[in-house]
Amino acid sequence: MLLAIVLMIVGLLLLVYAADRLVYGAAVLARSIGIPPLVIGITVVGVGISLPELVVSTTAAINDQMDLAVGNAIGSNIINILLILGGAALIHPLSVRSDILRRELPLLLLVTALCGFLLSDGELSRIDGVLLLASAAVFMMLVIKIARAAEKEGLDTLTYEQMSELPQDSSNTVAFLWLALGFIIMPLASGMIVDNSTVIARYFGVSELVIGLTVIAIGTSLPELATFIAGAIKGEDDIALGNIIGANIFNTCLVLGLPALVAPGSFNPDAFHRDYWVMLAVSIVLSGLCLMRKHRIGHLAGALLLCGFIAYMAVLFLLPDSIAF
């Protein structure tokens, strides 16, 4: 048991590190072939934040563990808002200045609603996967279009903050090496996570869905936590919030879409009847907080979000799996 816990933690750390290096290498190569920095920031770096969730969920689905895959995607979205955003706002109030954020919020609610429709039958099919992946592509095109318009007008801080996060000077050789290392480590690390999380779930008598919603979701959300902290420390509240919104959209579209495409299957109905509605509720709450008149997420909001996280964890571990909201 102890060995399984250690191996899973090591796997999570390796996965997050490999994802970071893979994104770094991809960003350097994309810049070297002339892709605009704005596009790199929204696509390569944006998708890269959700890369750990994507790899773990896809690996789990291939291993016929769809509960773990779905739980990881939904749980990461919930944790990003309740735990990461809530904890940060409790320490340091966040201001929402970017028009892009306010324009992305309806897209977050739209893909969350689509997700609910596709999850309602208790199964993810290849058609569901195609729809979700197509939604991710449409989202990226819309955000790039909006960001380009804002960049020309010089009115939106998020555009410049995203571009400033890109690697500046590095050789293509180093980038290729990081890419190769990332592609080697990530499958091995995700296999360690999936295999040992199954052992832990069986030992404690909890479902794979709950493990995916909690332990795995928290571990794979480490990149979101790191970028959020970095943005908040620099006073770049827009990029911190933008990463949360973007990560949640990609988690919904990609982290559910790719597993459905490569290994469709059914999952625990509690994922829809209980956990999806929590994800929808916290997404609505996030939208409300960002769109308030003062556009500010303060200490009180942070405390309430953290209380929501504690309550949700209590429901998962103290009440039976059959509970539905």
Side-chain angles (χ1 to χ4, degrees), residues 59-144:
T59 302
I62 292 173
N63 291 341
D64 197 26
Q65 295 173 288
M66 188 59 82
D67 286 352
L68 197 63
V70 174
N72 181 34
I74 294 177
S76 293
N77 282 8
I78 295 171
I79 285 166
N80 283 345
I81 296 173
L82 294 183
L83 180 60
I84 296 178
L85 178 60
L90 185 63
I91 298 172
H92 169 70
L94 303 168
S95 299
V96 186
R97 298 182 300 272
S98 171
D99 286 337
I100 291 181
L101 291 181
R102 292 192 284 275
R103 291 172 184 173
E104 284 183 11
L105 287 170
L107 296 175
L108 172 62
L109 296 179
L110 185 61
V111 299
T112 303
L114 173 63
C115 172
F117 174 74
L118 298 179
L119 292 176
S120 61
D121 61 356
E123 183 177 358
L124 281 175
S125 66
R126 283 199 169 90
I127 295 177
D128 295 340
V130 170
L131 288 173
L132 288 167
L133 293 175
S135 299
V138 170
F139 164 70
M140 283 191 282
M141 288 188 292
L142 286 174
V143 172
I144 289 172

Side-chain angles (χ1 to χ4, degrees), residues 115-190:
C115 172
F117 174 74
L118 298 179
L119 292 176
S120 61
D121 61 356
E123 183 177 358
L124 281 175
S125 66
R126 283 199 169 90
I127 295 177
D128 295 340
V130 170
L131 288 173
L132 288 167
L133 293 175
S135 299
V138 170
F139 164 70
M140 283 191 282
M141 288 188 292
L142 286 174
V143 172
I144 289 172
K145 182 179 179 180
I146 294 170
R148 277 178 170 163
E151 184 183 23
K152 289 179 181 178
E153 296 175 6
L155 298 176
D156 199 288
T157 58
L158 179 58
T159 298
Y160 300 103
E161 289 171 6
Q162 284 177 319
M163 293 165 63
S164 70
E165 295 299 311
L166 297 177
Q168 299 303 317
D169 297 318
S170 185
S171 69
N172 287 347
T173 301
V174 173
F176 272 116
L177 289 175
W178 282 126
L179 276 175
L181 184 63
F183 280 119
I184 292 171
I185 293 177
M186 290 189 75
L188 297 175
S190 62

